[in-house]
Structure formats: C-alpha cells, structure tokens
Amino acid sequence: MSSGAIAFAPNVTPGTFNDPPPPLADEPISESLLFPTETSESTVASSSSRKPLHGRKKPENYIPRPPNAFILFRSAFIRSRHVSTGVETNHSTLSKIIGLTWQNLPEEERQVWHRKAKQAEAEHRIKFPQYAFKPLHSRKGGGKRKVREVGPKDQVRCAKIAEFLVQGLKGKELDAAIEEFDKSHVPTVVTRFEAPITEQSFNRPVSAPIPEGKKSALRKLRSSSSVSSRRSTPVGNSRPSPAPSPQPLASLFETEQENLLFSLPSLDHFSFDQMKQDPTFDFNSFAFDSTMQASMPSFAYDPHSQPTLPLDHTFSNNSPQLNVDLPQLHIDSSYVGSDSWSPCHSPCSPSTNTGSMPPTPAYSGSPLPDDGYANYHGEAPPAYTLHHKSIPSNITPSQFSTYQDATSGYNCAGQYTDLQCAYSTVPHNSHNQHSAPTDIDYSSFMASLPPYAL
DNA sequence: GAGAATGAAAA
DNA sequence: TTTTCATTCTC
C-alpha cells in the first residue's frame, strides 16, 4: 500500500486492514531508529504476500481492532526479519524476544510506535466510524479462560537476543552473535526448593498433597509473576517496570515458620566444584525465578577465582537494568513443605549422600579475599555461600533459623523477611560436619556475613 | 486452536 | 479486575 490516504484496493477487505497507516501530513511520525519500518514497497509486498489468516472464521464484513503499539512493533519486526530463521522460528519464542526487546526499547523509540498506534486508531475511526469493540466475554464453555503457564523456556537466550537487538544487532550480525552465545550457553536447569527435612516430613509420603492453603499461596505467587502483574500495569504510556514487582513472600504464608521454609535450594544438578570448573556456569544468571528476581541477589562469578559478591549491583524494582540476567539455574519453588519447623538430625544419613553434593572440597585456590568471610582456616569455603547485599539490620534471632541440609550435610542458616532473603551455609565443623547436629547460632551466622551486608 | 508478547477497551 | 482481541506462524 502506497503512502497517502488509506483506500482499500478491491482485493482488500476490512478484514485485512492491518498495515500501519501512513503519517498524517500535518503530523509526521518520526521513524524508529532501532527498528525502522520498511519502505512502502516492502510493505505492499508483505501485505499482498501475507498468508491468509489460518482457519479464523470471521464474518465477511468483520472489522478487526486497530493494532496497538506493540502489535505494530511486532508486525514490523517480524516482517523485517530482524531475527533470522536460523536464530528462531517459533513465533511464541519470537513473541518473547520481541516482548523483551520492547521492554528494553528506549522510551523515545517506544513512543514512535505509540504514535503509530494512535495514527492507526485515527485512521481506523475514519474508515469504520460505526466500529465499536465488542469482545465476546462468554466464550465457549463459560469457564475461566486458561491461564498461561510460562514454562521454563530458555529465557536467557531470549533475553540475550533481545539485548543484542537493542544494541542494534540484526540479521547476520545477530546470527553471529547468537551463534557465539549458543556455543557456551547452558540450557535452563530446573531444580527445586527443598524444604528442610523434619521428622514429620520424613514420615510423610512424597506423593502427599500440598495443603490447599499452600497451593493458593503458590498460585498467588505464580500469578503475580506473569499475567496478573502485567494486567495490573496501569493503562497509559508509562514504561512498564522491567521486572515485575515481587509479591512479598512473607504475606503468602501464614506463619513466620512457613516463611522460613524458604530454605536453601538443594543443588541437585551442580556442586560448587562443578560450577567452578564449568566456564559456562554464570552466577549472574542465578536467580530463583521471575517472581523473585527483584528480591534476589545477582552474583558476579569468575570461574577462575573465588566467588565475588555483588559489591555494586543492587536489585531494585525500578532497576533500569536490561532484564537479561534471567535464571540459567532455575529453581522451581512450586514445592514448599508443610511441616512445622523443627531442626533435627537429618534422617538422610551422610552415607546415603550419593554425591549430588560432595563434601566440602579441599580448598586449593588463592587465599580468600578479605571481604568479611569467616576464616576457614585453610579449608574450603562453604559449598555455596550466598548473601544478600541488602540484609536489613533488624534481623532478629526470632527471624533466624538453622537446619542441616539433608542433601549436602551442611549446616545452614537463614532468614526470610518480606522483601529480603539471606541465607548462608556456615561450616559448622568441617572435620565432622555430617554427624554434627545443627548448632549454628544467630551471632555466628551474622558474623559470617560480609560487613557491607549489615 | 493454543501459545507467546503488550495494550486498549469492554464487561 | 478480568477478559477479549488485535499480529504472526508453528506445533
């Protein structure tokens, strides 16, 4: 379709009205710099070569809605083939990539598309003055529409592609960059929270159902991560927050004890040694899941040195940071134990530890940096020590709990508050840690934290 | 037809 | 607040 007023060609029905409208003469629309639309020639080509909408039974005179800014952006994006078929062909995944790209687009770039959408709406109104959006709220079945479950797709890769796109890489450049990324990229690994094993939980069958109250809390948690959080975004042109606001986890569980059940994950698939030896393991990507990103730390990790802590990297809901550090190690928090908290001797004997979490390895690296870690007397640091930078200073012993991790045999200590999570493995007794009961005390846990965390 | 994304609009 | 539907195409 050439520029100028929209006039439907004889072979164009209202049902095919979806081309971005041309700018009005008195209100020129600036072009997106990052993702400019094609020339009118290619627009015509794409319009005429567009495959018929598959199987969509629409009345002959059906008038589609005017496209919104994102839909226009997505359409232009797909048409332009910024992401080649060698990189991604699945349109669901492409939608993710384009969504991430959209979120990280500079505001002025997004405004270009919002203006185009306004333009489209104006043209639509002129073409179809009688049109009124009439959604069918009573779909077949009458039940609630199926809520999307965002599966553990390879979000890291999507985010990386989006990052490259926002940086201006397209086509072959993007192909090369992604090809390079794919060489070292480890697909998402899903592990789960493992509630500390108590005497009660040890006696409960694994298949025992999670209590209903817990389920609803988890549903609430999940829904806050994707659909609902997006839906609750205020209408308007305000830029959506890159990371959804986390649901305060403490509010999801009835008791403080249950909040404390957010314990150390069992690293079923990794050991610290494996992480160190695997150059592809990226601590930057270590996060719980999208619902918790904003409350979890990000870790800089150099596989050739000791783990470093995020000295200058804070997580905040308003962080403008490109949301690319999505979890590579994905921890499924869909299971939360239901038993009351009571530290006990782990029923999982050290001898039954089949090696998923080896004993504390002998430390062979350079001396530990003087960053507040406990002095390990020449022995290894804890298998994994994760500290939140922003641990509130008002942690009290009542918020503190300890347990012995059944898998690793390590003594663990942690606390959970509304928005902050801190947990740490504290070497109890490196000579005899498997047999020792949990006896970490509050002060030793606090002392193990880096000074800047307090 | 579902699924991916975001946003506008109706119920 | 919830739901639909704009786009696109593979599964």
Side-chain angles (χ1 to χ4, degrees), chain A residues 268-289:
Chain A
D268 292 335
H269 303 85
F270 291 101
S271 71
F272 186 73
D273 255 2
Q274 287 169 333
M275 294 176 196
K276 284 208 299 185
Q277 287 162 11
D278 181 1
T280 65
F281 186 86
D282 181 9
F283 265 78
N284 273 315
S285 306
F286 190 91
F288 277 64
D289 68 21

Side-chain angles (χ1 to χ4, degrees), chain A residues 65-84:
Chain A
R65 304 179 68 183
N68 65 35
F70 175 76
I71 294 297
L72 285 176
F73 174 71
R74 189 194 184 283
S75 297
F77 192 104
I78 295 291
R79 270 203 305 274
S80 303
R81 293 182 173 81
H82 292 312
V83 176
S84 74

Side-chain angles (χ1 to χ4, degrees), chain A residues 33-254:
Chain A
L33 297 173
L34 272 171
F35 304 103
T37 50
E38 325 83 332
T39 62
S40 58
E41 189 181 3
S42 60
T43 301
V44 169
S46 66
S47 177
S48 58
S49 63
R50 186 174 293 132
K51 291 180 183 175
L53 298 175
H54 72 97
R56 194 180 292 178
K57 296 282 189 294
K58 296 286 185 188
E60 190 71 19
N61 58 348
Y62 181 78
I63 301 171
R65 304 179 68 183
N68 65 35
F70 175 76
I71 294 297
L72 285 176
F73 174 71
R74 189 194 184 283
S75 297
F77 192 104
I78 295 291
R79 270 203 305 274
S80 303
R81 293 182 173 81
H82 292 312
V83 176
S84 74
T85 52
V87 173
E88 189 57 66
T89 57
N90 184 293
H91 273 251
S92 291
T93 309
L94 280 169
S95 283
K96 279 196 166 190
I97 294 167
I98 298 167
L100 286 166
T101 306
W102 174 259
Q103 284 177 19
N104 292 293
L105 221 51
E107 180 60 36
E108 55 271 26
E109 285 276 328
R110 250 198 324 274
Q111 284 306 319
V112 170
W113 294 99
H114 279 292
R115 284 193 288 272
K116 286 175 188 280
K118 281 265 188 291
Q119 196 81 41
E121 190 186 8
E123 297 289 346
H124 190 274
R125 212 169 16 242
I126 292 170
K127 286 288 152 196
F128 312 108
Q130 307 301 320
Y131 172 83
F133 179 47
K134 294 188 182 70
L136 300 172
H137 277 264
S138 55
R139 285 172 82 93
K140 199 175 78 175
K144 292 190 81 174
R145 191 189 184 197
K146 187 183 174 186
V147 176
R148 280 196 295 266
E149 277 283 347
V150 179
K153 293 283 176 61
D154 196 343
Q155 293 188 77
V156 178
R157 188 172 186 268
C158 291
K160 200 69 193 175
I161 295 170
E163 181 189 8
F164 286 145
L165 284 162
V166 174
Q167 287 171 359
L169 296 184
K170 294 173 196 165
K172 286 189 166 57
E173 285 179 328
L174 181 68
D175 287 356
I178 290 301
E179 190 181 343
E180 192 62 31
F181 172 77
D182 284 342
K183 285 179 186 172
S184 61
H185 178 52
V186 177
T188 301
V189 172
V190 177
T191 186
R192 343 169 124 256
F193 271 108
E194 182 178 271
I197 296 178
T198 65
E199 289 165 3
Q200 286 167 296
S201 67
F202 184 63
N203 293 328
R204 193 190 64 189
V206 175
S207 59
I210 299 171
E212 193 57 39
K214 216 79 60 185
K215 282 188 197 168
S216 65
L218 290 167
R219 273 197 298 271
K220 193 175 165 189
L221 176 63
R222 286 211 184 98
S223 66
S224 71
S225 71
S226 54
V227 177
S228 294
S229 65
R230 185 171 70 75
R231 296 301 181 199
S232 63
T233 302
V235 173
N237 292 339
S238 60
R239 181 175 182 170
S241 177
S245 299
Q247 184 79 20
L249 291 174
S251 67
L252 300 180
F253 300 98
E254 286 84 15

